[in-house]
Amino acid sequence: MDKLIIEGGKRLEGTVEISGAKNSSLPILAATFLSREPSVIKNVPQVADVFTMVKIMKSLGAKVQHNGNTVEVDPRNVKNPVLTYKLVSTMRGSICFLGPLLARFGEVQVSFPGGCVIGQRPIDLHLKGVRTLGADVKLEHGYVVAKCKKLKGTRVYLGGSFGSSVLGTGNIMMAAALAHGKTVIDSAACEPEVVDLGNFLKKMGAKIDGLGSPSIEIEGVKKLTGAVYSVIPDRIEAGTYIIASAMTKGDVTIKNIDLRMLGAMLDKLKDAGVIITEKNGHARIRRERVLRPVSVTTLPYPGFPTDLQAQMMAMMCIVPGISVITEKIYPERFMHVSELNRMGANIMLEGHSAIVSGRKTLSGAPVMASDLRASAALVLAGLVAEGVTDVSRVYHLDRGYENLVAKLQSLGANIKREKE
Ligand code: EPZ
């Protein structure tokens, strides 16, 4: 297992290019299975979750060529729509095969996804959605077994206790694309990654309206073609580098990002004293001498993204004053708190909120990554801490950040990767 060694105190400077969005790539790769024709997906980030996806697609019988950031998928020989426990337990995102495989084969078996450190992650909305389209869904021996000769379009309400579901909306959109008749998804997720998936489906010949709004309409078609498509940039990766620049008093230009996808976060950063200037699709990130504490509540898009909550907390740890971070999507998503406190932060948990009393500095320490975004927050804290920070279990980071060490080194960070 590898770890990261970070010597803090370096100001980040220069330009960093954002990779393709992990959370678009996963459902888009699954969507290629809706057709019997090949598809080519470009700008796919080289991260562990994508490698897992490719492994799953091959195990289901598809021919897959993965070269750099391009994945060519030939799904014509996919036969046996069963996602084993072994496959699903490595990556919850594999649930996004439910819709495409059910729509194409009329049946699918998916191992019921287990627990997750960021909180309970039920799939009741996914199952409710396919049931509403007419599928018979049972839970047998730890597997979701869904069957339906022909899915039938209808109205599906997908609102849950924490709002809409991103992959849930994706699954029902994919299932409805080949259903008989029209489907309307109410309380649909509006995330840019849902829109990206929808645009790919439209390139395959699907009839979809209302993408990006809480009401999506899908007119089912008989068959879909293959398509060539390029995935959008990763707004969560971009948000992470924007915060890295602000925390290190840096001057970093972010290349290949659409800032409109980060409205809620940028609004908070501006309140905190971060200066963001946009030019020719590039965003330059600098800051005022002293930052101000801001409070944040995570919400479904276009609200503040939960996947940037930990990184925002790391920043507030070094901003004198009180800020309150409230997590409304995954109420227990605070695995990073104890590790940040080990580095000298002063964070107290109160229900689904973290009360951060900002300090001038943090001190380097050995810390342990627990999940993808929590580990990103520990890296950010290590970049500003006095002395050396060891971040272990970096395989969590590999799941969603392409070339993180090289990109940070190119901005002047003192960071390296070593075997534990
Ligand atoms: C996607 O997960 C992302 N993953 C997550 O990013 C992200 O945190 C999440 O959306 C929210 O933005 C991918 O796209 C691969 P949800 P998803 O269904 O779709 C509850 C990262 O760091 N819920 O929108 O699985 C659920 O428990 C990852 O890149 C139900 O109650 O999330 C949560 O509280 C982590 N029933 C809320 O809804 C359901 O059937 C939102 O979950 C489904 C979800």
Side-chain angles (χ1 to χ4, degrees):
M1 249 196 291
D2 290 3
K3 65 180 179 181
L4 295 182
I5 315 283
I6 310 166
E7 173 125 17
K10 285 281 168 57
R11 183 171 180 274
L12 298 189
E13 283 179 292
T15 300
V16 62
E17 173 124 18
I18 298 303
S19 303
K22 168 190 76 87
N23 290 347
S24 278
S25 301
L26 303 185
I28 287 176
L29 288 170
T32 61
F33 277 30
L34 283 164
S35 174
R36 295 178 194 289
E37 297 169 18
S39 288
V40 179
I41 313 299
K42 298 179 175 172
N43 198 32
V44 175
Q46 297 192 61
V47 294
D49 277 6
V50 166
F51 300 140
T52 306
M53 206 63 185
V54 168
K55 212 168 94 195
I56 294 175
M57 292 197 289
K58 286 181 178 169
S59 76
L60 291 170
K63 272 209 207 90
V64 184
Q65 286 192 7
H66 188 186
N67 299 312
N69 298 106
T70 300
V71 182
E72 295 185 33
V73 185
D74 182 346
R76 85 187 80 192
N77 294 330
V78 172
K79 286 200 181 37
N80 176 23
V82 178
L83 278 99
T84 60
Y85 175 72
K86 192 157 163 281
L87 289 171
V88 173
S89 55
T90 53
M91 183 181 67
R92 292 182 57 80
S94 45
I95 190 69
C96 57
F97 277 104
L98 176 73
L101 292 176
L102 180 60
R104 177 161 162 201
F105 294 96
E107 67 170 292
V108 59
Q109 292 185 35
V110 185
S111 167
F112 200 85
C116 176
V117 287
I118 69 175
Q120 280 211 328
R121 296 182 74 182
I123 56 167
D124 57 313
L125 295 171
H126 300 245
L127 304 185
K128 173 189 169 189
V130 291
R131 271 200 187 99
T132 314
L133 294 178
D136 169 49
V137 181
K138 290 193 182 67
L139 191 57
E140 287 166 3
H141 311 299
Y143 279 75
V144 171
V145 181
K147 289 188 181 151
C148 185
K149 283 216 173 41
K150 185 69 187 166
L151 295 165
K152 194 163 174 327
T154 180
R155 218 175 178 97
V156 181
Y157 181 78
L158 271 191
S161 329
F162 303 97
S164 49
S165 163
V166 174
L167 289 181
T169 303
N171 254 327
I172 304 312
M173 235 176 17
M174 292 188 274
L178 287 177
H180 181 68
K182 185 161 112 173
T183 298
V184 179
I185 304 178
D186 290 321
S187 187
C190 308
E191 271 68 4
E193 295 76 24
V194 171
V195 175
D196 205 20
L197 170 63
N199 287 335
F200 172 60
L201 292 173
K202 287 165 85 168
K203 261 208 133 179
M204 297 176 86
K207 295 195 173 128
I208 307 179
D209 283 316
L211 288 171
S213 83
S215 181
I216 298 178
E217 295 193 5
I218 305 111
E219 185 68 51
V221 295
K222 284 213 169 23
K223 84 181 197 51
L224 293 168
T225 65
V228 178
Y229 191 79
S230 195
V231 170
I232 58 172
D234 195 315
R235 65 192 165 105
I236 306 299
E237 184 196 19
T240 306
Y241 284 103
I242 291 173
I243 292 176
S245 177
M247 286 177 74
T248 61
K249 302 185 179 118
D251 183 348
V252 171
T253 296
I254 311 275
K255 230 174 134 185
N256 190 24
I257 186 61
D258 179 346
L259 288 184
R260 289 168 301 173
M261 299 198 287
L262 286 167
M265 183 190 93
L266 298 180
D267 181 57
K268 286 293 173 187
L269 288 182
K270 284 178 191 148
D271 290 352
V274 179
I275 305 161
I276 298 140
T277 40
E278 196 175 358
K279 204 160 157 234
N280 314 332
H282 300 350
R284 188 173 176 193
I285 315 298
R286 290 165 294 166
R287 57 170 260 190
E288 292 163 21
R289 210 171 50 75
V290 179
L291 292 179
R292 296 176 289 278
V294 291
S295 292
V296 162
T297 298
T298 66
L299 289 167
Y301 190 87
F304 191 98
T306 173
D307 296 345
L308 285 167
Q309 177 255 96
Q311 299 92 318
M312 193 70 181
M313 189 187 292
M315 183 165 121
M316 288 300 119
C317 288
I318 56 160
V319 177
I322 302 290
S323 50
V324 179
I325 310 245
T326 302
E327 177 55 64
K328 285 240 168 129
I329 306 290
Y330 299 108
E332 282 105 44
R333 192 178 198 172
F334 290 118
M335 297 296 285
H336 38 288
V337 169
S338 53
E339 298 306 293
L340 288 169
N341 280 344
R342 181 199 305 278
M343 296 177 74
N346 180 352
I347 310 165
M348 217 176 52
L349 285 179
E350 190 63 46
H352 306 316
S353 296
I355 298 151
V356 183
S357 314
R359 298 255 158 95
K360 279 214 167 58
T361 57
L362 294 174
S363 60
V367 290
M368 193 181 293
S370 55
D371 64 85
L372 172 58
R373 308 305 172 182
S375 32
L378 300 179
V379 170
L380 296 180
L383 291 175
V384 296
E386 282 168 0
V388 175
T389 298
D390 279 24
V391 183
S392 58
R393 298 187 179 182
V394 290
Y395 57 83
H396 287 292
L397 277 165
D398 296 339
R399 298 191 56 177
Y401 289 94
E402 184 177 55
N403 298 332
L404 177 83
V405 171
K407 287 188 182 184
L408 284 172
Q409 284 171 340
S410 74
L411 295 172
N414 189 336
I415 182 169
K416 59 182 185 219
R417 185 176 180 127
E418 279 184 3
K419 291 254 161 285
E420 287 247 42

